[in-house]
Amino acid sequence: MIWPVDLIIMLLVMVSGIGAIMVRDLLGAAVLFGVYSFLMCLLYAIMGAVDVAFTEASVGAGVSSVFFVAAVFRTSRRTKD
Amino acid sequence: MQAIFLYASVFLACLMGLSLYRSVFGPTVLDRIIGVNAIGSKTTTLLILIGLIYERVDMFVDIALAYATLNFIAVLAASRYFQKKKGLFDEVEGR
Amino acid sequence: MSANTKPDNPNNPIDYQAYSPFKPFEPPTPPERSPLPYFFTFCVCMITWLVLSGKFDLFHISLGVVSSAIVTYTSGDMLLRARRLKGLPGNWLRFIAYVPWLLFEIFRANMHVMRLVFHPRMMDLIDPRMFRFQSRLEDETARFIFANSITLTPGTITVYVSIFGKYTVHAIDKASGQGLPGEMEDRVGAIFGE
Amino acid sequence: MEAILSSFLTKYNYWVFIGLVMIGMYALIAKRNLVKKIIGMNIFQTAVILFYVSIGAKQGSTIPILDSGHGHDAHHAVQAIDYINPLPHVLMLTAIVVSVATLGVALALAIKVHQQYGTLEEDEIAAQIDKP
Amino acid sequence: MRFIALITILLMGGLLFYGLPDFPDWGDPASPASTHVSPYYIEHGAADTHAPNIVTAVLADYRGYDTMFETAVIFSAGLACFFLLRTFRQKSAETKLYRHIPTGVTLRIEKGGKTPAGSEEFEPIDSHWVPYDMIINMTCRLIVPFVQLFALYVIAHGHYSPGGGFQGGVIFGAAIILFAISHDLRSVFRRLQEKTAILLSAAGVLIYAGTGVLCLILGGNFLDYSRLAGLLGVDAVMARSHGILIVEIGVGLAVMAVMVMLYYNLSSAGRHDEGL
Amino acid sequence: MSLLDIIATAMIALGLFFFLGGAIGILRFPDFYSRLHPAGKLDTMGQFTALSGIALYLLNDLSLGSVLTALKILLIVVFVFITSPTATHAIVDAGVRAGMTPWTKETREEGRR
């Protein structure tokens, strides 16, 4: 419930979300998805949902980016769009 | 003090925007990783500042601790990708 | 030699021979497992638990004992590799004495990088370069502390440490790299009595 | 007019929700790459989670963890207005972990498709299926 | 295709935007979500379960049935990944690399050559394989025990601070993944085998369901922890608190094992020979 | 405002200044290797200073809880000092292995000509 920070972070979330699907490189997309998840965690913390923020922090920082990188490592980085 | 913490967190959020520029428009993937690293380090501080604004720091400090320890796993994984598959551009089209 | 570490770009000024493809082959470890690392891990875990928990009733402390035992069982041999306690407390004390000097150096380094960042003619000031030097440190922990100290201090980043102690360092300008290996190596060596 | 405008302005967090849903949906429909589709699916998921969490927020209240460790002594009764609604948090907490598990399954499917067809692009896969 | 997608999402966004005035205000205490059942949880949660963190109380006690099946979903996701990717056939087409441990000489064995498998002196190494990096290895050796301890702390203190089985399990799994990234997949298999991981994940779900069944046997409803009071030797409120802890341990085990299984299968594409 | 508050505020401000330097340095420096210098050093120092300031602020009321929270914040600082150089090293090592050419004065002169 801290609206100035909230507004800025929301803007950044939109930017990183658009970036994650627009980048023409799957590894870059995975990395940007990591940023998206960091910012989402901050957003939950600002709204006071501590447990959700904790889950998102551990999941986003620890696991999901690694899964994406592992999958890209096992397939290919190439994408047409 | 509350106002100081509020201004500090707003300032940090703006700085995150600057780092986000590097990670969205960075010419190579490694520049993006630098941006992610910078954003992660700012996030740790920002979480504790939010805790101070809520006046419940003892609850938020756990999240920040988890963040500080796990923040670099993604960086390690991405750098391990480059150590195994050499070459920065050869797989990516259009460069 | 099958792992090909040489990239295709011939114009790259970095010496790839510094990248040794060998893992250090440790001599086969003796079968006797010293209990000391496990005991040390247990004690450190218990102290950390007390700081983290903040509840000093019997139930939570017994939970802490169980958790420390689990961590000791799964990863008790990670934290400490030494088989004997000899010299360990002295190393720790000397390391703690090293930290303030390191903090001061880090502060100076940050001021240096800060001046570069805000300088309007920054492009003329910086002169990035890679160079290599041979360190005389033998102990792995000493090399680790030295490498991380280099990364944290004046305009230099450790790129690679070969198993023979050869450091590859990236420096942001001419002045930054000249002090290496200098006072810092002596101080790190002094911690471990080398 | 002003009433409508203010009713839109006070709900700016839902704008973000709508925007994220649109981004995720666009990636799901228009992107041909399977990993991009999976990222879009995840963005969609987090948008829904954000919607739930922002429904539960309350102005001027604190996080849903009681201040004193001995709440059952009840020197003063706990007022519901002082604490943020915990119910959406519970539902969404499990949803996040489940989303990671489904992400793992989706990536496993993508790896399997890549082993079979050698590509992640939808149209190339369709061309390979149609050919023989 | 892109044009149709744009039309569709603009239509959908327009509809959502049209419905915007009917959404409750942000931070409105009188919104429908905050008025029906949640005041009861907030006002009685701590008195009923001795857990100041209301989220944990609701998660594991009031809505424990829901959470049990969420855990089952995670477990089945791990199994699905296993059955999708895991291959047991040895691929012998490529060349293999072995290292003689006492001397450090690397052997390259072409297809059809005799491999020194089973010998004590040789160990297999990966085909595209990273040289030993001292700094990363050392850091991970220093970090991993603390991360594991922190994960256990998070599981054990879910009552008093944010945390619980889900978060702690993910952090513990992330610690193991960190070790796997810094070393290689084989050295992790020496510590946590695949079979053990699957058994652990099943055991986690079993602990959760078994607690419920135990309550059923003792004469209460499914997952009614206050029936455990006689077994644990405490009063009913503390029994609910301890019941929450037991259930959280089950959740943590399941989540940890599933995260590790997913990583094993994804990073090696099911072959379990060389990881990321 | 007590003296402790003033010191804490000054330290937080200094930390934010370091963060600002890091963010601008990442944008201004010419190539990947030199960008790592502000990213690796200034962010670490900023975190150290700001978190120490917050820990000092928490010592305003000397109770067990606040001291333990301050200790936890110091634990974060210790972890940051271990992990941040490692992350920097991992990135620069990946860059070298990927075959990235470092920017030097000479390449700049060639670019001018």
Side-chain angles (χ1 to χ4, degrees), chain D residues 3-99:
Chain D
I4 295 174
L5 200 67
S6 74
S7 80
F8 277 93
L9 277 179
T10 51
K11 297 183 167 96
Y12 62 92
N13 57 326
Y14 298 113
W15 298 2
V16 178
F17 155 68
I18 293 170
L20 288 179
V21 164
M22 283 163 72
I23 292 171
M25 200 73 185
Y26 178 77
L28 273 173
I29 298 174
K31 297 287 169 185
R32 294 221 173 97
N33 192 292
L34 290 180
V35 177
K36 279 283 178 65
K37 273 180 193 286
I38 293 171
I39 288 178
M41 190 182 81
N42 262 292
I43 290 178
F44 201 105
Q45 271 174 342
T46 40
V48 174
I49 292 169
L50 178 69
F51 175 63
Y52 269 75
V53 170
S54 61
I55 274 185
K58 277 184 201 165
Q59 193 82 45
S61 49
T62 184
I63 56 179
I65 298 173
L66 301 190
D67 253 331
S68 53
H70 39 82
H72 65 291
D73 290 345
H75 293 302
H76 50 278
V78 181
Q79 290 294 321
I81 195 90
D82 291 338
Y83 295 96
I84 295 172
N85 185 4
L87 201 54
H89 302 177
V90 175
L91 302 176
M92 290 307 109
L93 193 154
T94 50
I96 288 178
V97 183
V98 169
S99 87

Side-chain angles (χ1 to χ4, degrees), chain B residues 1-2 4-5 7-9 11-12 15 18-19 21-22 26-28 30-31 33-35 37-42 44-45 48-49 52 57-58 61-62 64-65 68-69 72 75-76 78-80 82-89, chain F residues 1 5-6 8-9 12 16-17 19-20 22-24 26-29 31-32 35-36 39 43-44 46-47 50-51 54 57-58 65 69 72-73 75-76 79-80 83-84 86-91 93-100:
Chain B
M1 284 308 271
Q2 292 293 316
I4 292 171
F5 294 140
Y7 291 141
S9 45
F11 185 70
L12 265 183
L15 288 186
L18 287 185
S19 305
Y21 175 85
R22 184 50 76 202
T28 66
L30 288 162
D31 291 303
I33 295 174
I34 293 176
N37 206 0
I39 287 180
S41 66
K42 288 173 185 61
T44 314
T45 315
I48 291 186
L49 282 173
L52 282 171
V57 202
D58 47 342
V61 81
D62 282 347
L65 190 52
T69 50
F72 80 132
V75 174
L76 275 192
S79 74
R80 188 49 64 104
F82 284 105
Q83 288 168 348
K84 292 220 166 186
K85 294 203 170 168
K86 288 138 192 119
L88 203 54
F89 301 119
Chain F
M1 270 175 94
D5 280 0
I6 294 170
T9 312
I12 292 172
L16 291 183
F17 184 58
F19 273 128
L20 176 72
I24 291 180
I26 290 176
L27 294 182
R28 271 193 81 193
F29 274 14
D31 84 320
F32 156 70
R35 266 174 217 146
L36 267 170
D43 276 3
T44 316
Q47 248 169 321
L51 292 181
I54 291 170
Y57 168 75
L58 285 178
T69 311
K72 276 188 199 175
I73 291 179
L75 204 62
I76 295 177
F79 277 131
V80 163
T83 57
S84 169
T86 310
T88 311
H89 160 76
I91 300 172
D93 196 41
V96 172
R97 278 175 208 276
M100 247 185 167

Side-chain angles (χ1 to χ4, degrees), chain E residues 24-271:
Chain E
D25 278 349
W26 192 48
D28 182 16
S31 72
S34 313
T35 45
H36 293 290
V37 70
S38 81
Y40 177 82
Y41 290 151
I42 295 174
E43 282 161 10
H44 298 86
D48 280 355
T49 63
H50 198 272
N53 188 353
I54 306 163
V55 174
T56 306
V58 178
L59 179 80
D61 193 308
Y62 293 111
R63 305 184 72 91
Y65 199 59
D66 181 9
T67 313
M68 187 179 96
F69 283 100
E70 301 270 10
T71 318
V73 166
I74 293 166
F75 172 63
S76 58
L79 279 191
C81 191
F82 174 81
F83 284 122
L84 271 173
L85 279 180
R86 187 80 170 100
T87 50
F88 291 100
R89 230 171 339 105
Q90 287 297 322
K91 264 174 73 176
S92 57
E94 288 131 21
T95 58
K96 286 179 180 164
L97 298 175
Y98 282 87
R99 185 175 54 219
H100 190 228
I101 295 171
T103 57
V105 174
T106 311
L107 279 182
R108 180 198 184 92
I109 293 164
E110 298 290 338
K111 183 184 175 184
K114 190 166 175 292
T115 59
S119 166
E120 285 284 312
E121 292 191 333
F122 289 90
E123 65 167 354
I125 53 179
D126 299 345
S127 53
H128 44 228
W129 154 73
V130 187
Y132 176 75
D133 194 327
M134 185 263 291
I135 300 178
I136 292 177
N137 274 20
M138 193 88 181
T139 306
C140 292
R141 264 177 45 203
L142 288 180
I143 288 282
V144 164
F146 288 108
V147 179
Q148 287 175 344
L149 186 76
F150 180 66
L152 292 174
Y153 156 76
V154 166
I155 293 179
H157 287 248
H159 299 62
Y160 303 99
S161 57
F166 286 103
Q167 293 92 335
V170 171
I171 294 175
F172 206 103
I176 296 173
I177 291 173
L178 176 59
F179 185 74
I181 291 175
S182 66
H183 292 67
D184 52 357
L185 214 53
R186 284 192 194 86
S187 47
V188 186
F189 283 147
R190 259 176 243 134
R191 285 166 195 268
L192 181 67
Q193 288 174 354
E194 189 198 12
K195 198 193 269 178
T196 322
I198 296 176
L199 283 180
L200 279 180
S201 65
V205 181
L206 213 62
I207 286 175
Y208 204 137
T211 314
V213 172
L214 193 63
C215 298
L216 211 58
I217 291 172
L218 289 174
N221 287 325
F222 192 67
L223 290 173
D224 179 10
Y225 308 128
S226 55
R227 294 286 164 171
L228 296 175
L231 212 60
L232 297 171
V234 287
D235 61 341
V237 174
M238 277 312 280
R240 286 177 85 164
S241 168
H242 289 325
I244 290 175
L245 181 62
I246 296 170
V247 163
E248 296 268 22
I249 288 171
V251 171
L253 266 182
V255 171
M256 182 270 287
V258 166
M259 290 302 145
V260 173
M261 268 164 66
L262 286 178
Y263 175 75
Y264 283 174
N265 284 319
L266 284 178
S267 70
S268 66
R271 288 197 302 276

Side-chain angles (χ1 to χ4, degrees), chain C residues 9 16 19 52 54 107 110 114 117 119-120 122-124 126-128 148 151-152 155-156 158-160 170, chain F residues 17 21 25 28-30 33-34 36-37 41-42 45 68 72 81 85 89 93 96-97 100-101 103-105 108:
Chain C
N9 185 359
Y16 287 96
Y19 278 63
L52 283 175
F107 189 76
N110 279 295
M114 207 70 151
V117 165
H119 203 283
M122 181 259 302
M123 289 299 226
D124 295 331
I126 64 171
D127 184 14
N148 272 1
T151 305
L152 284 172
T156 45
T158 312
V159 180
Y160 189 75
H170 182 266
Chain F
F17 184 58
R28 271 193 81 193
F29 274 14
Y33 292 101
S34 47
L36 267 170
H37 287 270
K41 286 192 251 301
L42 292 179
M45 193 64 191
L68 279 176
K72 276 188 199 175
F81 263 79
H89 160 76
D93 196 41
V96 172
R97 278 175 208 276
M100 247 185 167
T101 323
W103 183 94
T104 51
K105 276 254 163 85
R108 186 175 174 227

